[in-house]
Amino acid sequence: MRPEPYPGRLAGFASVSAGSVLLLALLILMALPGWAEQQDRPVLPDDSYPDLAGETRHLNEWTGQVVLLNFWASWCSPCLTEIRHLIRYQETYADQGIQIIGLGIDDARHLKNVQRSLQINYPVLVAGAEAGKTLLQAWGNDSGMIPYTVVFDRDGRVAGAHRGVFDDPVFEELVAPLLGAD
């Protein structure tokens, strides 16, 4: 599956935060001709979620790094396969400014079990199962398919998105060019 250059259409965002609503408005601008040349690309919002220790984390605290915001769930077999890639990317490219953030659309207890079992080395935030489909739609995934990853450049602007397992070919196309930029 080829990576999507940018997230697609959005719908059904009634229960998402104000930051995600702002993201929705900016994503709609992407449909206009020449939007990619503008600096109006959506930015990492100030949405906040608890991590697995219960501490509130804000997505925009990672601005300045290349961020892979990965939506996943413990019951999703492709997600578990993908996590092994993400662990390796975080370990290999951390000193080049990558930050992977797992956003679990699942129960915290199940996410903790996966984190412990797979030894996830990046932050896992909890969106919860109830927010799943609506949250995915707000982030440009109207199919609701997971795993789903949105890539942000160092300025916190959307650089791309991918439905399905984020593997080496996708990494080379969407992320590697961003790591070389300072």
Side-chain angles (χ1 to χ4, degrees):
M1 179 177 289
R2 285 193 41 82
E4 298 171 30
Y6 301 97
R9 291 172 284 133
L10 305 175
F13 56 90
S15 67
V16 292
S17 70
S20 291
V21 171
L22 174 62
L23 179 67
L24 170 66
L26 291 172
L27 287 172
I28 291 170
L29 290 175
M30 291 190 302
L32 301 174
W35 83 269
E37 289 76 43
Q38 304 168 2
Q39 289 301 309
D40 292 343
R41 289 182 290 140
V43 297
L44 213 74
D46 190 28
D47 291 358
S48 61
Y49 302 92
D51 64 17
L52 292 178
E55 298 295 319
T56 299
R57 304 293 298 264
H58 296 266
L59 294 180
N60 67 2
E61 73 184 72
W62 290 287
T63 300
Q65 297 177 291
V66 174
V67 173
L68 277 70
L69 182 61
N70 176 253
F71 294 84
W72 68 285
S74 65
W75 46 262
C76 168
S77 181
C79 297
L80 302 180
T81 298
E82 175 183 65
I83 287 171
R84 289 171 173 78
H85 294 283
L86 299 177
I87 290 169
R88 180 170 43 86
Y89 301 147
Q90 184 64 50
E91 184 176 300
T92 304
Y93 299 101
D95 62 341
Q96 292 180 42
I98 197 170
Q99 182 59 62
I100 297 167
I101 304 166
L103 188 56
I105 53 173
D106 200 348
D107 178 82
R109 182 173 51 95
H110 295 124
L111 298 172
K112 282 181 189 179
N113 288 339
V114 173
Q115 181 195 39
R116 185 179 54 250
S117 297
L118 296 180
Q119 300 178 351
I120 295 175
N121 60 352
Y122 52 84
V124 174
L125 309 181
V126 182
E130 295 297 316
K133 185 170 176 110
T134 302
L135 189 58
L136 284 165
Q137 288 175 337
W139 282 88
N141 182 354
D142 51 351
S143 73
M145 179 180 154
I146 59 172
Y148 180 66
T149 304
V150 181
V151 178
F152 296 86
D153 66 17
R154 293 178 193 274
D155 294 328
R157 298 194 180 284
V158 171
H162 179 73
R163 286 183 185 104
V165 174
F166 204 95
D167 57 12
D168 292 347
V170 177
F171 184 89
E172 287 301 317
E173 184 173 338
L174 290 180
V175 179
L178 300 174
L179 293 175
D182 290 341

